[in-house]
Amino acid sequence: MGSKTQTGIIMGVANQRSLATGIATQLHAQGARMGFSYLPDTSGKMQHRVEKAIEGFPSLFLEPCNVGADADIQAFFQKAQSYTPTIDFLLHSIAFAPLEDIRCPTVEASRQGFLTAMDISVYSFIATAKHAATLMPNGGSILTLSYFGGEKVVAGYNLMGVAKAALEAAVRYLAYDLGPKNIRVNAISAGVMKTLAASAVGDFSQMLGSHAATAPLQRNVTLEEIGNTAAFLLSPAGSGITGEVVHVDGGYHIMGSPSRACEKKEA
Ligand SMILES: NC(=O)c1ccc[n+]([C@@H]2O[C@H](COP(=O)([O-])OP(=O)(O)OC[C@H]3O[C@@H](n4cnc5c(N)ncnc54)[C@H](O)[C@@H]3O)[C@@H](O)[C@H]2O)c1
C-alpha cells in the first residue's frame, strides 16, 4: 500500500458477511488504520454485531451514524476528526429501500419508497463524500458499492436498480468535483454475495445461480476478491483511476447471451 500508513473510514459493516467487512479485512492486511460507523438501533444489537465483525482489526473508533440524518453525518465526521485529523480513504457500503417497494414491480413503487431508496443509497454517498473530503487536505480515495442492476434490468432488483444507476452517475459527478483536490471517486460493481442487504432482493437465490452459470469465470466471486480490488482502489496504487465503475463480477456484465450452461442443455 505504499510507504505511508493509510488511514480511513469504513461505513457499512453490519456483520461478518458485509462487503464492508471483507474490504476492511484486505485493507487491514495491507496495514491500513480504520475507524468504523454503525447504524444505531434502540436495542444496541447493531453496535454489538458490528463490534463482533470488526474485532479482528485494531479500529481507531466505532461511532453511530444514521446516514438518513444530516445531523448524524455531521456529528459522525466531527467525532472521526477528533480521532484522526486527516484521512486517506472513505468506504461507503450502504444501501436501503423499503421491502414493499423493492419486492414489487418498479412501476408499483411508492413515492416515499423511491425517496427513501435514493436518500439512503445515493444522497448519503454525496453527503459523506463531502464531509470526508474536508478531512483529505492531501487528496484521497472514496469508494462505493454498486451492482449490475443499475446498468441493465435484473429481474427482482427493481427499484434498487434505479438507485444504483443514480449512484453510478453520482460517482462520475463527484469524481469531477473532487478531482482538483486530488480526491478520487470510484465504485465497484460487485457480483452477488449472500448478505443482510441482499436478502431483501426477492429472487436472490436465483440470481446467485444464474450469475455463476452465466459469468465467463463460471462461478460467483468471493468476498476476498471484492476486498482486494477495493483495497487497491482505496490505496495510492490506484492513483490514476477516478470516476470508474470497476466490475468485480467474474465478467458477468460482458455477457449478451445466457450462458454455456444453457448451450450445453440444448445440445
Ligand atoms: N450483496 C450483494 O450481492 C451486493 C452486490 C453488489 C452491491 N452490493 C452493495 O454493497 C453495499 C453493502 O451491502 P452488503 O451486501 O454488504 O449488505 P449489508 O447488509 O451487510 O450492508 C448494508 C449496510 O447498510 C447499512 N445501512 C442501511 N441503512 C443505513 C442508514 N440509514 N444509515 C447507515 N447505515 C445504513 C447497514 O447498517 C449495513 O451495514 C450496498 O450498497 C449493496 O447494494 C451488494
Side-chain angles (χ1 to χ4, degrees):
M1 181 171 269
S3 51
K4 180 181 161 281
T5 301
Q6 300 288 295
T7 303
I9 294 176
I10 306 285
M11 305 185 82
V13 172
N15 56 35
Q16 248 105 5
R17 290 181 159 199
S18 297
L19 301 197
T21 310
I23 293 168
T25 303
Q26 298 312 319
L27 285 163
H28 172 60
Q30 294 190 9
R33 302 186 321 143
M34 295 166 283
F36 295 81
S37 71
Y38 68 92
L39 172 62
D41 61 351
T42 45
S43 68
K45 255 192 206 161
M46 212 46 159
Q47 179 178 359
H48 182 64
R49 268 200 220 153
V50 178
E51 277 168 359
K52 261 198 94 183
I54 64 170
E55 67 192 0
F57 326 120
S59 55
L60 286 174
F61 60 83
L62 173 64
E63 295 288 349
C65 183
N66 181 342
V67 296
D70 286 337
D72 255 46
I73 296 177
Q74 185 154 0
F76 172 77
F77 278 93
Q78 256 166 18
K79 274 187 206 146
Q81 192 169 20
S82 71
Y83 294 104
T84 172
T86 63
I87 58 172
D88 302 294
F89 63 83
L90 167 71
L91 173 70
H92 171 280
S93 187
I94 291 173
F96 176 78
L99 259 193
E100 61 274 23
D101 292 292
I102 34 172
R103 288 270 171 98
C104 65
T106 312
V107 70
E108 303 287 347
S110 70
R111 182 185 298 270
Q112 194 48 53
F114 175 85
L115 292 175
T116 301
M118 295 296 272
D119 183 15
I120 305 301
S121 315
V122 186
Y123 180 72
S124 72
F125 178 56
I126 297 173
T128 54
K130 178 181 168 184
H131 282 275
T134 65
L135 303 183
M136 294 176 170
N138 306 314
S141 179
I142 298 174
L143 183 71
T144 189
L145 270 302
S146 191
Y147 173 63
F148 181 65
E151 295 170 59
K152 301 280 183 197
V153 173
V154 175
Y157 205 60
N158 304 337
L159 181 61
M160 196 45 83
V162 179
K164 291 303 190 194
L167 181 70
E168 292 183 13
V171 164
R172 293 184 280 274
Y173 280 90
L174 294 185
Y176 174 71
D177 287 350
L178 298 175
K181 296 180 173 167
N182 194 30
I183 297 172
R184 301 180 294 106
V185 184
N186 294 292
I188 284 180
S189 182
V192 284
M193 301 279 315
K194 215 167 185 174
T195 62
L196 214 58
S199 63
V201 177
D203 299 330
F204 190 74
S205 306
Q206 208 186 321
M207 273 165 76
L208 267 174
S210 74
H211 271 64
T214 305
L217 292 184
Q218 305 235 276
R219 60 171 177 82
N220 286 305
V221 293
T222 65
L223 201 49
E224 191 181 347
E225 288 172 321
I226 294 168
N228 278 332
T229 304
F232 159 71
L233 288 169
L234 287 171
S235 80
S239 63
I241 303 171
T242 195
E244 199 68 74
V245 178
V246 178
H247 294 82
V248 183
D249 64 353
Y252 179 80
H253 71 286
I254 69 165
M255 296 302 294
S257 72
S259 66
R260 282 192 191 93
C262 287
E263 283 164 21
K264 275 179 208 151
K265 261 187 218 155
E266 277 162 20

